[in-house]
Amino acid sequence: MNHFKICYVASEVAPFVKTGGLADVAYALPVALKELEQDIRLMMPKYRTINERKFVLRDVIRLREVKVSLDDLTRTASGKTAFLPNSKVHVYFLFIPELFDRKGIYADPESGQDYPDNAERFAYFSKAVLETLKLLYWQPDIIHCHEWQTALIPFYLKTYYQTDEFFQNTRTVLTLHNLSYQGRFPLDVAPKLDIPQELVAPGAAFEFQGELNLLKGGILYADVINTVSERYAEEIVSSPEYGFGFETILKGRKRDLYGILNGVDYSVWNPETDKYIPVKYDAKTLEKKAGNKKVLCEQNGFAYDEAVPLVGMVTRLIEQKGIDLVLDGMDKLMRRNLQMIILGTGGAEYRKSLEKWARKYKKKLAVHFKFDERLAHLIEAGADIFLMPSRFEPCGLNQMYSLRYGTVPVVRETGGLADTIKDFDPETGKGNGFTFIDYSVSAMLEALDRALAVFPDKKIWQKIQKAGMRADFSWSTSAKKYLKLYEKALKKK
Ligand code: ADP
């Protein structure tokens, strides 16, 4: 097997800072790569919210002053280091006080608005990564970038560092986790990022629909690109609904575009060992799962009833996740024999409507608007059914977590959901969940109703649960695929 030096760069990494699935991936994939004996180091911004004492961040003398210049403005970054918890992976935290010493990560938590200088924040961070590597005298074979926040790295490497001996053998991989986040800014921001005028002319690399678009540039400059499931890699070149306008650009790079399914970190998401759940269980002691359901019902003011299926959702409250289907279908949903718990953040309008419904159906609908790791785990363990009616889903992690917890997923057949959840077929007895194709309330209810109809038949239900619990989506499989991807990137000129 090949051994690579990999610099893995992400804007969020669990457990230091997490707003979504990217943070989980940016923890688990590096750990899996390290287990495959790769020389991997992580780099991320040092946000104010990262607890230096808890994670034992140490100063790095060589990184006391990292000069980072863009346009005519030089800023000074400083670097600290720590280990990724429970691993031997080194993480470098790059701190530029005027850009990262803030309450929020991407947005001001009070107003909910993105920071207006996000382009500069992540451009300086991206350039700081390259300068840091030089100060460390550590020449990576691969710089693995994620999302628009680090999409400038391939561009800087291929332009400003093109003749720099240090990076002669370094190649870039850009992973696209979600095409609906593109890093769009006004065109006049470009010079501040050292993006020349000709690259933001209409149709040029960094211009898209009259705006500066950092992800577009990243897609065009990275040596190899990938998305986080095979199905999503197909979907994004096939229609504007999934490609968000990038279909043609991505088609142009089809030879270098791959799909690799995210994995699950079973050291965190496993009902046998889960530190957050009151009753631990596995496929052999599945009856104990009910203990978690009882606690979940109690906490939410529901009467516990073994015969009433409990439906869970853990999700960002955004259009992508199909919240409008749930809201439009809520009256019908509530007429079914079920209880439902939704944990989510974001979407003020969605929150208002959900709250209204929860007031109306106190005994069977509970909503929580916070980011709560413990409750997320308890829902996975305590619910009978996990609902993900996503409009699109690049990979999705919760459906895979649900499988391991014997919580049967009901999902829309798209992206990673389509790659992981197979519709239960009563004829053959095969399948690990229930799926629907049309993005409509009726299709969602039809799939849910099929689940509800099977639920009372404990024998068949357990068969579906166990099919899910047996599935192995551990990272080691995906990590090996990433090694192949790195090989491909290294063959690029
Ligand atoms: P996305 O990255 O689009 O949000 P994923 O399914 O890939 O979706 O990953 C979401 C991750 O964030 C999962 O680990 C999920 O448990 C977690 N999560 C989402 N919302 C919350 C919340 N309100 N509280 C706790 N965890 C959450």
Side-chain angles (χ1 to χ4, degrees), residues 18-22 24 178 269 314-316 320-321 343-345 370-373 376 388 393 395-399 401:
K18 169 170 169 177
T19 70
L22 170 62
D24 287 353
N178 192 327
W269 295 96
V314 179
T315 180
R316 290 182 296 129
Q320 177 201 332
K321 302 292 180 179
L343 168 64
T345 51
K370 56 183 176 175
F371 201 90
D372 186 335
E373 200 77 39
M388 289 179 81
E393 195 59 79
C395 176
L397 293 170
N398 278 111
Q399 83 280 11
Y401 301 159

Side-chain angles (χ1 to χ4, degrees), residues 11-231:
S11 57
E12 54 181 274
V13 180
F16 306 116
V17 55
K18 169 170 169 177
T19 70
L22 170 62
D24 287 353
V25 174
Y27 171 82
L29 177 55
V31 172
L33 287 166
K34 187 82 184 176
E35 275 162 18
L36 294 176
E37 291 168 24
Q38 304 300 310
D39 184 359
I40 179 160
R41 303 186 192 185
L42 247 83
M43 292 204 188
M44 66 181 292
K46 161 73 182 74
Y47 303 101
R48 187 195 287 174
T49 51
I50 295 173
N51 187 331
E52 294 196 29
R53 217 171 321 140
K54 180 174 167 198
F55 295 116
V56 202
L57 267 61
R58 293 180 197 282
D59 291 325
V60 183
I61 295 170
R62 257 189 249 180
L63 302 181
R64 243 186 230 152
E65 277 201 358
V66 185
K67 296 285 179 207
V68 193
S69 303
L70 284 175
D71 197 17
D72 282 332
L73 180 59
T74 301
R75 298 183 190 271
T76 306
S78 58
K80 295 196 176 199
T81 182
F83 283 109
L84 208 51
N86 306 316
S87 84
K88 291 200 174 117
V89 179
H90 271 291
V91 185
Y92 291 93
F93 298 88
L94 307 184
F95 188 50
I96 306 171
E98 64 274 29
L99 301 180
F100 293 107
D101 191 11
R102 302 181 187 183
K103 275 188 184 162
I105 308 304
Y106 310 122
D108 180 341
E110 265 125 58
S111 67
Q113 299 289 315
D114 280 352
Y115 290 120
D117 60 348
N118 269 350
E120 287 106 300
R121 294 174 78 219
F122 290 100
Y124 274 93
F125 167 68
S126 295
K127 187 128 191 237
V129 166
L130 299 174
E131 291 300 320
T132 299
L133 287 168
K134 293 183 75 167
L135 288 170
L136 291 171
Y137 303 111
W138 192 68
Q139 284 174 291
D141 302 308
I142 296 290
I143 303 182
H144 188 160
C145 309
H146 301 268
E147 305 290 74
W148 69 262
Q149 285 89 346
T150 54
L152 279 167
I153 291 177
F155 164 68
Y156 290 149
L157 265 185
K158 286 230 168 100
T159 51
Y160 299 105
Y161 293 86
Q162 197 189 13
T163 54
D164 191 324
E165 256 322 294
F166 189 86
F167 290 113
Q168 281 317 298
N169 300 316
T170 301
R171 298 294 176 267
T172 53
V173 170
L174 175 65
T175 301
L176 310 171
H177 294 259
N178 192 327
L179 276 185
S180 69
Y181 300 100
Q182 302 183 347
R184 291 157 51 175
F185 301 94
L187 284 174
D188 60 9
V189 175
K192 291 191 202 165
L193 317 183
D194 263 349
I195 299 175
Q197 215 51 51
E198 65 265 24
L199 291 185
V200 286
F206 280 97
E207 189 276 345
F208 191 66
Q209 296 173 344
E211 288 177 309
L212 169 66
N213 191 308
L214 298 185
L215 193 63
K216 181 183 170 192
I219 290 171
L220 293 173
Y221 278 93
D223 289 304
V224 163
I225 39 189
N226 79 297
T227 68
V228 288
S229 71
E230 284 176 22
R231 176 70 78 100

Side-chain angles (χ1 to χ4, degrees), residues 424-462:
F424 174 70
D425 180 345
E427 301 270 306
T428 61
K430 293 222 165 89
N432 58 9
F434 294 85
T435 69
F436 60 99
I437 295 171
D438 283 354
Y439 187 79
S440 68
V441 173
S442 57
M444 176 183 76
L445 289 175
E446 185 272 334
L448 186 67
D449 283 341
R450 283 190 289 120
L452 297 178
V454 175
F455 183 74
D457 188 333
K458 285 291 156 247
K459 222 168 123 197
I460 301 184
W461 191 256
Q462 278 195 9

Side-chain angles (χ1 to χ4, degrees), residues 346-365:
E349 283 305 309
Y350 286 139
R351 286 205 305 264
K352 246 195 263 165
S353 315
L354 284 169
E355 228 154 31
K356 195 187 78 197
W357 284 113
R359 272 198 302 273
K360 184 165 174 195
Y361 291 100
K362 260 202 197 90
K363 299 242 160 71
K364 54 192 303 185
L365 174 66

Side-chain angles (χ1 to χ4, degrees), residues 256-268:
D256 301 317
L257 171 65
Y258 299 87
I260 301 178
L261 193 72
N262 284 334
V264 173
D265 183 351
Y266 289 119
S267 71
V268 180

